[in-house]
Amino acid sequence: MALLTMKNIHKTFGGNQALKGAHFELLEGEVHALLGANGAGKSTLMKIIAGVHQPDEGEIEISGSKRTLPSPRESLQSGIHCVYQEVDTAIVPELTVLDNLMLNEIASAKKWFLPKKELKRIAKKALDQLNCSHISLENEAKTLTLAEKQLLLIARAIIQDASILILDEPTAPLSLEETKHLFQVIKLLKKQGVGCIFISHRLPEVFEITDRLTVMRDGRTVSTSLTSQTEMKEVVKEMLGKKLQELAPKTTRKTGEAILEASHISDGKIVRDVSFSLKKGEVIGIAGLVGAGKTELSKLLAGASKLKNGNISVHGKNVVFHNPADAIDSNIVYIPEERRREGLFMAESITKNLTFPHLKNFTSNGFLRKKRERVFSKQIIADLGIKAVDEDVEVNYLSGGNQQKVVIGKWLTQEAEIMIFDEPTKGVDVGAKQEIYQLIDKLAVEGNGIIYCSCEMSELLAVADRILVMVDGRVVKELQSDYTTEEQLLLYASGGKEEHHERKVHFVSV
């Protein structure tokens, strides 16, 4: 039986036609992937299901009955639950884990007088089902890691007895073990008749967990097929409208003197005794699984967190960063993992986001020269291939990949010598990933030093010259990317050690 049917869905925002007759079907007990390049219309289609947007044209059926979903509340009451990629937009950080899990229950009249003991029992049962009993119900949600916040949202949907569960890049903040467990939970929900819409740019995961897949491109539904009867290369071709070209090898580039040196640096919490140097024109990869300390190291180098021990030097001179502005003054810029929360003004235009870091370049006699701003914005949009009707579009309406390009683009005219990228391709399609790889290669050729943090091992091998592997806040291994395999990187990142004289691999607990 079809839990959800969408037919001939159209949606326009201003002059941008986001959906052009799209259609989609979800069956009971099915895991159905929704795929497409950034800007294909996936997010808009899902927001229509979630009651966030209303279609301009088309029909929606839930369990065979025609429905309108005028609000998120109506969608929830229809059994539709969303776990969005940007987890912080769906969590109240100052409330406890318990309050966040039971938010909808507490707000509903029938549950208003439910004793706290019963609320705790229900919440604990959901967390236990996800193997998250280590998460304290009494802690404030803002203290959770990204992975824990994602699992909190999934647990909330389980509590609400969702019949349709939309998972938007659910594995992006999860470790390998957490991903395996999530897939076990999805299989359990599937047996219970729950239909899951699985949105991901990680195609191996799509082929592992889904029953069918639907591909969208330019606001239209291109195809729907059984996953078991589909090849990955065909899916990529349908997503992009062309064959994916092989990634060009890294440009042969000359490296110069050391421009950044970190000596035994620690933040007193996660990062412990890290030392390395970065040369002019070099790309250093920082490999590590979720919780390894990559983001914390990035923020330490970018002045977003305080240095407790050790020294940082730029061009041989010791520097002390009290805030990110100090790092920017030393020509260090940071492209954060959480672009919506830390890298963008979501309610502002592309132009305002691109020009904000260096407004002095666009002012004269105390007045902002908007024409100069527009010229600059149009140039960056063209250079980076940002898909938008014009430079005045709010970044909130851009796809994830295009939002990421805006985050990168705002630093391209800055006198930046050192650029720190933290998971820059998170939630980005395969085509946009290649564009980001090429941009980073270009920046390195121009003499910039690049620090590239990622849990995607193949990505690090594609862009980095050297790779530092982090485990529990420490650098445990340094490798040359040209002589390293994904298996070796994953081994060290998982806490393993390789005995070269025996040619055997031994895993150790960490």
Side-chain angles (χ1 to χ4, degrees), residues 297-487:
L297 176 61
S298 298
K299 290 186 175 182
L300 198 58
L301 296 169
S305 59
K306 290 186 178 180
L307 182 70
K308 295 295 183 182
N309 295 297
N311 296 294
I312 299 172
S313 64
V314 178
H315 290 294
K317 296 182 179 179
N318 284 349
V319 291
V320 178
F321 301 145
H322 298 99
N323 50 54
D326 290 341
I328 292 170
D329 288 341
S330 293
N331 299 326
I332 299 175
V333 298
Y334 174 48
I335 292 85
E337 177 182 7
E338 289 296 291
R339 56 179 172 262
R340 294 174 64 93
R341 188 162 60 93
E342 299 177 339
L344 294 167
F345 298 112
M346 296 304 297
E348 298 293 348
S349 68
I350 297 173
T351 293
K352 288 185 178 180
N353 274 277
L354 288 174
T355 60
F356 181 79
H358 32 89
L359 282 175
K360 62 182 180 181
N361 296 337
F362 304 98
T363 57
S364 179
N365 298 322
F367 292 95
L368 185 63
R369 303 303 181 187
K370 292 188 176 181
K371 185 176 180 181
R372 195 182 301 171
E373 265 194 313
R374 289 178 182 276
V375 171
F376 166 76
S377 299
K378 287 179 179 179
Q379 186 62 52
I380 295 295
I381 289 170
D383 290 346
L384 298 186
I386 298 171
K387 293 182 179 178
V389 175
D390 56 41
E391 67 277 7
D392 294 322
V393 172
E394 285 184 18
V395 295
N396 190 47
Y397 294 118
L398 300 180
S399 66
N402 286 306
Q403 288 175 356
Q404 186 69 306
K405 290 178 182 179
V406 174
V407 179
I408 297 170
K410 69 182 181 181
W411 298 117
L412 292 186
T413 61
Q414 195 75 13
E415 295 298 323
E417 286 185 284
I418 299 159
M419 305 185 78
I420 304 169
F421 291 81
D422 188 8
E423 300 286 358
T425 63
K426 178 182 175 182
V428 172
D429 70 76
V430 289
K433 279 185 179 182
Q434 288 201 345
E435 293 174 358
I436 291 174
Y437 299 159
Q438 291 164 3
L439 174 61
I440 287 170
D441 186 62
K442 179 175 177 289
L443 291 169
V445 169
E446 292 172 352
N448 295 285
I450 309 292
I451 296 173
Y452 192 100
C453 304
S454 179
C455 62
E456 300 285 348
M457 305 307 165
S458 59
E459 191 168 292
L460 289 164
L461 292 174
V463 301
D465 301 304
R466 289 187 291 141
I467 301 173
L468 308 179
V469 183
M470 292 191 72
V471 176
D472 291 338
R474 296 182 184 272
V475 173
V476 298
K477 192 72 175 177
E478 178 179 329
L479 299 161
Q480 296 292 325
S481 61
D482 288 343
Y483 305 102
T484 305
T485 65
E486 287 186 54
E487 290 76 15

Side-chain angles (χ1 to χ4, degrees), residues 227-286:
T227 306
S228 60
Q229 297 178 5
T230 309
E231 292 188 13
M232 200 177 297
K233 62 181 180 181
E234 289 302 316
V235 171
V236 173
K237 183 178 178 181
E238 288 180 337
M239 287 170 60
L240 301 179
K242 60 181 180 181
K243 288 184 179 180
L244 182 65
Q245 297 178 347
E246 291 294 323
L247 181 65
K250 294 188 289 285
T251 304
T252 302
R253 50 185 181 249
K254 295 180 180 179
T255 57
E257 74 283 357
I259 54 176
L260 173 71
E261 293 183 79
S263 178
H264 304 289
I265 63 172
S266 304
D267 65 357
K269 298 175 183 178
I270 303 295
V271 180
R272 296 182 287 173
D273 196 31
V274 171
S275 297
F276 70 94
S277 63
L278 174 68
K279 295 178 180 178
K280 185 179 179 68
E282 182 182 31
V283 180
I284 287 183
I286 307 292

Side-chain angles (χ1 to χ4, degrees), residues 3 179 224 431:
L3 290 176
T179 297
T224 297

